[in-house]
Amino acid sequence: MSRFIVNSSKALSGEVCVSGSKNSALPILASCILTGGVSTIKNVPVLSDIEIMCTILSHLGCKINRVDDVITVDSSNVNCTAVPFELTGKIRASFLVAGPLLARFGRAEVSLPGGCTIGTRPVDLHLKGFSDLGAEHIIKDGSVSISCKELSGARICLDFPSVGATQNIIMAAVLTKGQTIIENCASEPEIVDLADFLNKCGANIKGAGTDKIVIDGTNSLKGCTHTIIPDRIEAGTLMVASAVTAGNVTLKNVNYSHLSSVISKLTEIGVCITEFGSDINIKCTMPVKTTSIKTMPFPGFPTDMQSQIAALFCFINGTSVITETIFENRFMYVPELIRMNADIKVDGRTAVINGKGGLVGAEVNATDLRAGAALVVAGLAAKGKTIINNADYLKRGYCNFEDKLKKLGADVIIEE
Ligand code: UD1
C-alpha cells in the first residue's frame, strides 16, 4: 500500500504543465475499436486507469503501442467482444467498450462495472440508449450481453445528462443507419473531445457541447491522429493547491473555458486568476472569503472538484456550504478531514464546513481518487505531517502528481 506524505509547505510557486485529460482519453481509446484501423492518440496521461483500458483493448485483439504520452491503437484485428470481470471490475470506464463493440460487431458481453465508494453508479441509461437503437440485452451472472441484428437511428432522451451514457450512445450510433438524436445529453468538454475525434475519423456528429447531439450514421470510419484536451480536474486541483498555500502558480496547457465554474468560485472568494492564452496564473493571499457551491453537470461546478474545494474551505474562517447533486456518497473524505481537526457536518447531500483557519496533519485514508486529492490539498497547508494511505488512488487520476507538486515547491513524497 503506497502512502503519500505531505508536510506543511510554503507558498507554491513556479509553473507546471497540466497533462491530458483522463476522462477524455478513456472513451477515445475505447472508440478506437470503431475504426478497424490505426489511430494515434497524443497527450494521453500516464495513469493506471489508462493502462487498464489498454489491457482491455489488447484483450479484445487491438494492438497497442505506447511511447511516453502517445498511444497507437490498431483495431483491425479485434477478435473478441467479451470483457471479463477481472478487467471491468478495475475501472468503471471499461463499460465504454460496450457501445463500440455493439456498433462494429452487433454484440458485446461486458461484466457489469458495479458501484464504487462514491455511489451505486448503475448503467441503466446506457442500456436504455442501446435499446432505443434496437439492441436487446440480458443480464446474467453479473454480466450484460447486448446484441442486435442491426441498429437503427432513434430519438433518445436521457433521464439525466450522464457523461458515460452519452459517450456510449454516441459510439453505438456513429455506424448506425439513419439519424440519432440524443436529448438532455451531457455537454462536458470530454464529450466534445470524443465527438471531435470521431468526426476526424469520418463520423458525422453535430451539437456536442450542447444538450442535443445529432448523429448521422456512416458506413465506416478510419483511424486518425488526435490530441487529448488538457485535464480540467488536474488543473482545478492544482489551482486549489496553489490557493490553499497562498501561492503564485502558472499552469500551462489549460483550457480556461473548461474551468469557468471553478474559476468563478475561486475568484468569488478572493483568489486572483489571470488567463494568458493556454496558461492560467493563480495568485492567492490568504485569508479569502467563504462561499457555497452546488455540484452540477457541466458547465456547473464539477463533482470531481468538490472534495478539493472542501479542503480549501477548512482554511477559511467562517461557514461554507457544499451541496452534492451528482453522486449520492461523495462525502467519504469528510471523516478523514475531521481527523485533521476539520469542523464539518454532513446532512444528506449537504456538507457545512466551519472553517477555523486551519488543520493539523494526521494519518488519513484516501477513500477514492478525488478524496485523495483533497487530503493532499489539506496536507499542504495543515500544520505538521499528513500521511495519506491508499495513495494508489492518486495514480489513477493524477499523472506525475508528486513531481508536479515538488516542482512548485511542495514538501511531498510517495512511499511505495
Ligand atoms: C464521469 C467521470 C467522473 C465524473 C462523472 C460526473 C469518466 C471516466 N468519469 O463518470 O469522473 O465524476 O462523469 O461528471 O469520465 N447514472 C445513472 N444511470 C446510468 C449512468 C449514470 O443513474 O446509466 C447516474 C450515476 O449513478 C451518477 C450520475 O448519473 O449519479 C452521473 O453519472 P455519469 O455522468 O454517468 O458519470 P460517469 O460517466 O460514470
Side-chain angles (χ1 to χ4, degrees):
M1 180 182 72
S2 66
R3 311 192 309 167
F4 207 95
I5 317 278
V6 188
N7 286 304
S8 185
S9 299
K10 55 184 193 304
L12 297 191
S13 71
E15 49 180 55
V16 74
C17 192
V18 171
S19 298
S21 160
K22 164 181 87 80
N23 287 352
S24 209
L26 288 167
I28 287 176
L29 286 169
S31 75
C32 289
I33 294 172
L34 287 162
T35 68
V38 181
S39 294
T40 302
I41 316 297
K42 298 181 174 175
N43 201 30
V44 183
V46 179
L47 297 168
S48 54
D49 277 19
I50 299 287
E51 267 173 48
I52 295 165
M53 178 56 86
C54 288
T55 307
I56 292 171
L57 294 178
S58 299
H59 166 86
L60 296 172
C62 293
K63 272 201 206 106
I64 308 282
N65 183 39
R66 172 160 210 158
V67 180
D68 302 326
D69 65 350
V70 180
I71 295 186
T72 307
V73 183
D74 178 352
S75 66
S76 42
N77 290 317
V78 172
N79 53 9
C80 168
T81 55
V83 191
F85 179 74
E86 304 92 83
L87 294 173
T88 56
K90 291 186 179 156
I91 51 164
R92 269 193 60 81
S94 56
F95 201 67
L96 293 172
V97 299
L101 287 173
L102 184 64
R104 188 164 157 207
F105 301 103
R107 62 181 188 279
E109 190 182 324
V110 186
S111 184
L112 287 166
C116 66
T117 50
I118 63 172
T120 49
R121 305 184 78 175
V123 288
D124 55 322
L125 301 174
H126 304 232
L127 296 174
K128 162 88 170 37
F130 296 153
S131 150
D132 289 344
L133 294 172
E136 291 179 344
H137 69 265
I138 303 169
I139 297 177
K140 199 173 160 225
D141 301 331
S143 263
V144 58
S145 296
I146 314 157
S147 61
C148 63
K149 281 208 183 76
E150 191 182 33
L151 296 176
S152 46
R155 204 174 181 109
I156 299 166
C157 185
L158 295 177
D159 290 347
F160 180 86
S162 153
V163 175
T166 303
Q167 290 163 338
N168 239 337
I169 297 167
I170 291 174
M171 294 187 282
V174 281
L175 293 177
T176 294
K177 234 195 317 183
Q179 186 172 76
T180 297
I181 299 175
I182 318 172
E183 288 174 307
N184 195 31
C185 62
S187 60
E188 269 69 1
E190 295 76 23
I191 303 284
V192 179
D193 207 21
L194 174 65
D196 285 348
F197 168 73
L198 289 170
N199 282 340
K200 277 192 218 165
C201 294
N204 188 350
I205 306 166
K206 294 196 182 76
T210 74
D211 62 359
K212 180 176 168 184
I213 288 176
V214 179
I215 302 156
D216 284 301
T218 183
N219 286 334
S220 65
L221 299 176
K222 57 184 182 349
C224 76
T225 297
H226 182 78
T227 302
I228 298 290
I229 56 170
D231 195 307
R232 63 193 168 103
I233 306 302
E234 184 197 317
T237 304
L238 291 169
M239 288 166 87
V240 174
S242 160
V244 81
T245 62
N248 181 354
V249 165
T250 297
L251 300 179
K252 303 186 82 66
N253 188 32
V254 186
N255 189 321
Y256 193 93
S257 66
H258 295 172
L259 282 152
S260 303
S261 58
V262 175
I263 289 172
S264 158
K265 278 294 162 188
L266 289 175
T267 306
E268 183 189 318
I269 65 174
V271 181
C272 180
I273 296 176
T274 322
E275 178 192 11
F276 305 98
S278 62
D279 295 355
I280 292 182
N281 176 260
I282 305 104
K283 217 179 275 174
C284 178
T285 316
M286 289 293 252
V288 287
K289 294 180 290 182
T290 59
T291 189
S292 296
I293 64 159
K294 188 180 201 179
T295 62
M296 298 289 278
F298 190 83
F301 193 92
T303 176
D304 286 353
M305 278 301 301
Q306 188 254 96
S307 54
Q308 301 90 314
I309 205 122
L312 172 63
F313 288 165
C314 293
F315 293 86
I316 306 174
N317 282 317
T319 304
S320 299
V321 179
I322 293 180
T323 307
E324 169 63 44
T325 75
I326 309 293
F327 290 107
E328 66 270 29
N329 197 19
R330 222 166 185 185
F331 290 125
M332 297 278 285
Y333 63 87
V334 167
E336 306 305 314
L337 287 179
I338 289 174
R339 281 183 214 265
M340 298 176 72
N341 220 13
D343 179 353
I344 308 177
K345 299 214 168 30
V346 175
D347 183 9
R349 295 203 161 204
T350 301
V352 178
I353 301 166
N354 287 307
K356 293 179 290 192
L359 298 178
V360 287
E363 183 163 350
V364 289
N365 294 315
T367 48
D368 65 69
L369 163 60
R370 306 304 170 187
L375 296 170
V376 172
V377 168
L380 288 171
K383 281 198 193 95
K385 180 190 279 198
T386 300
I387 299 169
I388 303 162
N389 296 320
N390 307 326
D392 282 349
Y393 271 123
L394 288 160
K395 292 185 203 150
R396 295 186 59 171
Y398 291 93
C399 178
N400 299 329
F401 201 33
E402 181 193 3
D403 293 346
K404 283 174 185 159
L405 288 169
K406 273 185 175 151
K407 191 166 180 243
L408 297 174
D411 185 352
V412 294
I413 191 158
I414 287 198
E415 281 182 4
E416 296 298 341

